Amino acid sequence: MEVLSFLIPISLFLGGIGLAAFFWTIKSDQYDDPDGDSHRILSDEYDDHPKE
Amino acid sequence: MTDSTYPETPNASACPACDVTPMARRLVARATLDDAPDRGAILLSLPEVHCALCITTVERALDRHPGVNSARVNLTLKRVSVEAEPDVTAEDLIPTLAAVGYTAHEMDPSALSATTTDRQGRELLMRLAVAGFAAMNVMLLSVAVWSGATDATRDLFHWISAAITIPAIAFSGQPFFRSAWSALRHGRLNMDVPITLAILLALGTSLYETAHSGEHAYFDATISLTFFLLAGRYLDHRTRAIARSAAEELAALEVPRADRLVDGREETVDVATLVPGDVILVRPGGRMPVDGVIAEGTSELDRSLLTGETLPVFAEPGQEVSAGEVNLTGPLSVRVTAAGQDSSLHRMADLVAMAESTKNRYTSLADRAAGLYAPGVHILAVVAAVGWYFYTWDVRLALNIAAAVLIITCPCALGLAVPAVTTAASGRLFRKGMLIKDGTALERLAEVDTVAFDKTGTLTLGAPELLDADRIAAEDLALAAGLSGASSHPLSRALAEAAGRLEVSAEKVEDLVEVPGFGTEGRWMGLRVRLGRAAWVGAETGTSTEAWLAVEGQTPVRFTFTDRLRPGAQDAVDGLRAAGLDVWLISGDAEPAVAAFADRLGISNVVSEALPAEKAHRLEALSSDGRRVLMVGDGLNDTAALTAAHASISPATALDAARVASDIVLLGEDIGPIADAVTTARSAVRRIKENFRIATLYNVIAVPIAIAGLATPLAAALAMSASSITVSLNSLRLR
């Protein structure tokens, strides 16, 4: 049972990373234009660096 | 963006008039801002963008335009926002985009409050994510407890659950706590009061149990309850946000601008900056932005949006005009007599606000359910607690049972019952081109038994069509087409179109002149020919919409016109009648025109020459007969009737005020979907009621178990999830 003392914190930590990543995507306006973003990857522009 | 400089949108309860008069509010907002015009961003609507190539083409074309700093296309909203130097205007950019093949329309950024970010939606989504994260982790621990963890292991798992649940609920439960608090402060009960009480009581007793190594802790139930309820809230919010942004988009496409004449020069200004005494220029095809008096020019005015009359009115210097009229033939200079606060637009806002207050009295099904539910649940919980206390003299047990009752009865299913159905129904109607603006609109629409149509602009397109075109001599039509070719008057366009349809080629007419307000004149085979008003060509004025063709020395020939039927008008009338509704036609137009039109559609209940106030009175008379009326209209003269009706629909071409006053806006030209709207609304309400029944059934089974003290956390979790899922699935059955 001692393994629980590792597993529970690990599972919480991993879940927490996912939650933090989700927060970041919301905060950085990544859901404002889902259609546009899925099309933009097809364009040749900004292949080397993202648009300012 | 400078959206922070605009006043916050006032909330509905504090100022109903503000909420229903975005146009007036925008004008006021702009008037206070005229020193700092919005130069940060230009917004253009691009209805045609759809691909990756479109994005790069548009952005490249705009980036190359001098003075443009950056441009970004939003494909989801079909818009581009351009950051540019102050001297670049939307009018400069529209031709640039036309050159690369995209039509663009300017949008008024001040009409779009939710363009940049939907802050409230984001907040709800974050709370939902936190609740979901916590619920998953706590459930994981709870499964271990349910499958037989005991003693120290169980206590440890309970403690970890508490450590996750309490901060998670403190963050994600805030919308419920706030709403419950504000209801209690005003001495009312709403659905959030029992929710809050259940959450807090369950947390408290679970914490106490955990501290005393108790067997039952409800952390899992509490957090998943919060999660389900937030999901319902978020669905509800999304439906509203989509409708609101689409409605705002319609409003934003009408940019309130006017051409002011100063010392003989024209300058384009905001309508809000006009003051009485200014002289503005209104071109043919333009809409009067203010009330005023004609200073110069003759023309004809289309007043159908204000009065419902289809016949254009002759306009000459000295005549009064009001905001909303459309100038047809010649340019007019108008001296402003009333603008902003004093204009007829603002007076209309008062009228709408008055009628709006009666509509706010409608209690939605959810509110009615909450009104029954909230006190019932509290009484049950108190009775259970008191009963068990006197039976066992054990406070801890009594409180535990009260918490179990509250958790089990908690309205997960009720919280999802309405939003899940309205989301499904409004999505369905949106795909058919209908925009639901009001939360209770579906419920009200389901109750209507009578429908009242306006004629001009609603059942018709407000554009004339030549009557009996094939009975007119071909040479007359050819000559008329030759005379009308150069004019943009609606009757001329109808003539030219009829000639094109019958493959009559237009006669060549020389020395063509358009005499604004009268007609067109020219020379044909050495004779003077005229096409225009009866009096001008020397004929008797008739009652219908007509134009006369006169060749010098011959009897004038008459062309009669009728208003063109809107596509789907017949389907809408037939469909509504098939759904069991009484159909009325209430028009401001003259009696013969209305009667002929009603015959064409087979409508027997007809009211003609109705003034705006009469329209509203007629609706009130119908509703005092116990009828619930759906009003469909588009003009300023319908606005009062639209607000007085039980439910209301207006086409997208309607005046701003009429669109604001109505519950549903038809986005396409076709009016046929109205019949579908009624049937969809009826089946949506049927689903909502079924959902309430399902939720009640679960409670009828689960509550006795909880009161008997037999409920375990596992039973609570099962009952809650099962009822929420059944209700959601039932909503998806909507047809």
Side-chain angles (χ1 to χ4, degrees):
Chain A
M1 287 305 252
E2 288 77 36
V3 73
L4 279 179
S5 54
F6 295 102
L7 285 182
I8 291 173
I10 289 173
S11 85
L12 282 176
F13 176 70
L14 290 178
I17 290 179
L19 189 66
F22 181 68
F23 270 35
W24 170 71
T25 60
I26 291 185
K27 287 243 156 108
S28 54
D29 295 342
Q30 296 193 29
Y31 300 99
D32 278 5
D33 183 15
D35 290 355
D37 291 339
S38 63
H39 279 96
R40 267 173 209 277
I41 55 163
L42 299 174
S43 131
D44 293 339
E45 278 185 61
Y46 316 117
D47 270 359
D48 45 349
H49 64 94
K51 190 176 180 182
E52 300 285 301
Chain B
M1 289 299 292
T2 57
D3 54 344
S4 59
T5 52
Y6 290 102
E8 282 277 309
T9 314
N11 71 44
S13 57
C15 177
C18 303
D19 225 33
V20 298
T21 52
M23 180 85 173
R25 194 178 71 228
R26 268 153 70 199
L27 293 180
V28 176
R30 285 168 155 262
T32 55
L33 268 176
D34 50 2
D35 296 334
D38 184 44
R39 291 294 184 202
I42 297 169
L43 268 185
L44 297 171
S45 157
L46 298 166
E48 289 158 9
V49 288
H50 64 278
C51 59
L53 190 65
C54 311
I55 299 178
T56 36
T57 316
V58 168
E59 287 183 355
R60 255 189 230 146
L62 288 174
D63 281 338
R64 272 204 300 270
H65 189 97
V68 171
N69 297 331
S70 75
R72 187 161 176 102
V73 173
N74 186 324
L75 194 65
T76 317
L77 299 169
K78 297 201 188 292
R79 272 178 212 162
V80 59
S81 80
V82 183
E83 291 203 23
E85 300 298 322
D87 55 329
V88 178
T89 62
E91 284 93 70
D92 305 334
L93 300 176
I94 290 171
T96 311
L97 288 173
V100 292
Y102 293 95
T103 13
H105 306 284
E106 188 186 3
M107 301 179 86
D108 180 4
S110 63
L112 299 162
S113 62
T115 41
T116 41
T117 44
D118 173 12
R119 204 160 293 146
Q120 218 189 337
R122 272 183 182 192
E123 212 172 78
L124 269 176
L125 201 57
M126 289 219 263
R127 296 189 201 284
L128 185 65
V130 169
F133 164 80
M136 280 190 284
N137 283 292
V138 172
M139 273 298 168
L140 214 61
L141 299 168
S142 298
V143 170
V145 175
W146 297 336
S147 44
T150 46
D151 308 325
T153 321
R154 186 180 63 204
D155 286 348
L156 175 70
F157 280 12
H158 279 166
W159 277 120
I160 299 174
S161 301
I164 300 170
T165 308
I166 291 168
I169 285 194
F171 175 68
S172 46
Q174 280 172 26
F176 308 113
F177 302 156
R178 249 182 263 141
S179 147
W181 173 238
S182 77
L184 284 179
R185 227 181 17 198
H186 293 101
R188 288 183 292 113
L189 270 186
N190 63 8
M191 202 77 121
D192 290 331
V193 176
I195 292 173
T196 305
L197 190 68
I199 291 176
L200 294 181
L201 192 62
L203 273 187
T205 54
S206 302
L207 211 55
Y208 182 85
E209 286 293 305
T210 305
H212 290 80
S213 302
E215 203 183 329
H216 294 325
Y218 288 98
F219 294 115
D220 51 346
T222 324
I223 189 73
S224 41
L225 176 81
T226 317
F227 175 71
F228 281 127
L229 288 171
L230 278 171
R233 283 295 142 98
Y234 185 67
L235 279 184
D236 198 35
H237 174 83
R238 287 265 314 159
T239 319
R240 273 164 217 240
I242 290 171
R244 198 180 48 229
S245 71
E248 277 175 354
E249 178 146 346
L250 278 179
L253 283 168
E254 287 172 17
V255 183
R257 290 249 169 81
D259 291 324
R260 180 162 57 188
L261 289 172
V262 181
D263 306 326
R265 280 185 308 108
E266 266 178 56
E267 52 176 29
T268 307
V269 294
D270 271 350
V271 170
T273 59
L274 292 175
V275 289
D278 279 352
V279 177
I280 56 165
L281 184 72
V282 182
R283 293 204 168 72
R287 197 176 276 180
M288 296 289 163
V290 287
D291 297 352
V293 175
I294 299 178
E296 214 179 302
T298 46
S299 177
E300 282 179 296
L301 293 176
D302 177 359
R303 304 172 65 180
S304 60
L305 277 176
L306 276 84
T307 59
E309 302 165 69
T310 40
L311 278 178
V313 181
F314 182 64
E316 59 189 349
Q319 190 176 328
E320 284 189 18
V321 291
S322 27
E325 296 176 346
V326 177
N327 183 11
L328 289 178
T329 40
L332 290 176
S333 306
V334 176
R335 173 161 297 111
V336 179
T337 51
Q341 301 275 349
D342 312 317
S343 71
S344 47
L345 195 72
H346 222 258
R347 287 199 299 276
M348 185 55 58
D350 299 341
L351 204 68
V352 172
M354 240 161 62
E356 190 76 2
S357 63
T358 61
K359 195 171 272 183
N360 282 343
R361 285 206 299 266
Y362 184 85
T363 8
S364 69
L365 277 172
D367 289 344
R368 266 181 277 167
L372 281 175
Y373 169 88
V377 164
H378 289 141
I379 292 168
L380 260 182
V382 169
V383 167
V386 171
W388 276 96
Y389 178 70
F390 283 114
Y391 184 60
T392 60
W393 301 103
D394 182 351
V395 183
R396 182 176 153 191
L397 181 67
L399 278 181
N400 263 337
I401 286 187
V405 168
L406 278 175
I407 281 274
I408 280 195
T409 54
C410 217
C412 270
L414 288 185
L416 279 169
V418 179
V421 175
T422 42
T423 306
S426 18
R428 224 178 104 81
L429 291 180
F430 191 72
R431 279 193 297 281
K432 289 192 174 171
M434 268 172 294
L435 187 65
I436 299 184
K437 284 172 50 210
D438 189 280
T440 60
L442 274 176
E443 291 170 29
R444 282 184 278 118
L445 193 60
E447 291 170 359
V448 295
D449 52 15
T450 306
V451 55
F453 280 104
D454 165 51
K455 184 176 78 77
T456 320
T458 305
L459 283 176
T460 71
L461 284 173
E465 179 180 39
L466 184 60
L467 208 59
D468 300 330
D470 34 358
R471 258 188 260 156
I472 292 163
E475 52 266 34
D476 289 340
L477 189 57
L479 187 54
L483 274 165
S484 60
S487 163
S488 63
H489 191 282
L491 294 186
S492 300
R493 278 205 304 249
L495 268 172
E497 196 202 77
R501 200 177 55 230
L502 294 172
E503 290 169 6
V504 174
S505 51
E507 284 288 340
K508 182 109 183 72
V509 180
E510 281 148 15
D511 303 334
L512 258 183
V513 242
E514 182 159 14
V515 187
F518 296 97
T520 38
E521 188 181 66
R523 295 213 147 266
W524 174 68
M525 290 166 61
L527 296 168
R528 192 195 68 194
V529 282
R530 280 179 166 179
L531 175 73
R533 304 192 142 248
W536 190 50
V537 301
E540 201 76 14
T541 311
T543 49
S544 51
T545 314
E546 56 194 17
W548 292 79
L549 172 73
V551 182
E552 202 175 348
Q554 291 177 28
T555 341
V557 183
R558 188 171 71 154
F559 294 94
T560 40
F561 296 86
T562 179
D563 209 350
R564 185 169 315 174
L565 212 58
R566 192 180 270 273
Q570 189 71 58
D571 294 347
V573 171
D574 293 346
L576 288 169
R577 204 175 283 139
L581 275 79
D582 257 354
V583 182
W584 285 69
L585 183 67
I586 302 182
S587 175
D589 206 357
E591 208 267 320
V594 178
F597 184 80
D599 267 359
R600 205 161 141 198
L601 284 179
I603 301 173
S604 49
N605 306 312
V606 182
V607 181
S608 54
E609 290 171 42
L611 296 173
E614 265 173 55
K615 285 197 178 195
H617 282 316
R618 180 66 67 158
L619 286 198
E620 275 154 23
L622 282 172
S623 58
S624 59
D625 286 351
R627 288 164 183 267
R628 293 170 192 260
V629 189
L630 164 68
M631 174 76 201
V632 189
D634 77 318
L636 201 58
N637 59 332
D638 301 316
T639 313
L642 285 169
T643 19
H646 193 61
S648 49
I649 302 183
S650 67
T653 49
L655 211 63
D656 194 42
R659 276 201 317 259
V660 167
S662 52
D663 304 315
I664 297 180
V665 177
L666 272 173
L667 298 173
E669 196 174 62
D670 193 339
I671 204 176
I674 289 185
D676 291 337
V678 175
T679 41
T680 306
R682 285 181 180 173
S683 67
V685 168
R686 213 174 308 132
R687 289 280 166 275
I688 292 177
K689 287 184 177 160
E690 265 172 30
N691 279 352
F692 282 151
R693 257 176 249 135
I694 294 174
T696 317
L697 188 68
Y698 270 102
N699 279 344
V700 167
I701 299 170
V703 167
I705 299 177
I707 292 183
L710 300 171
T712 59
L714 176 61
L718 280 181
M720 191 156 56
S721 317
S723 68
S724 300
I725 290 167
T726 338
V727 164
S728 312
L729 289 180
N730 187 45
S731 311
L732 290 179
R733 286 198 313 130
L734 185 78
R735 281 280 171 273

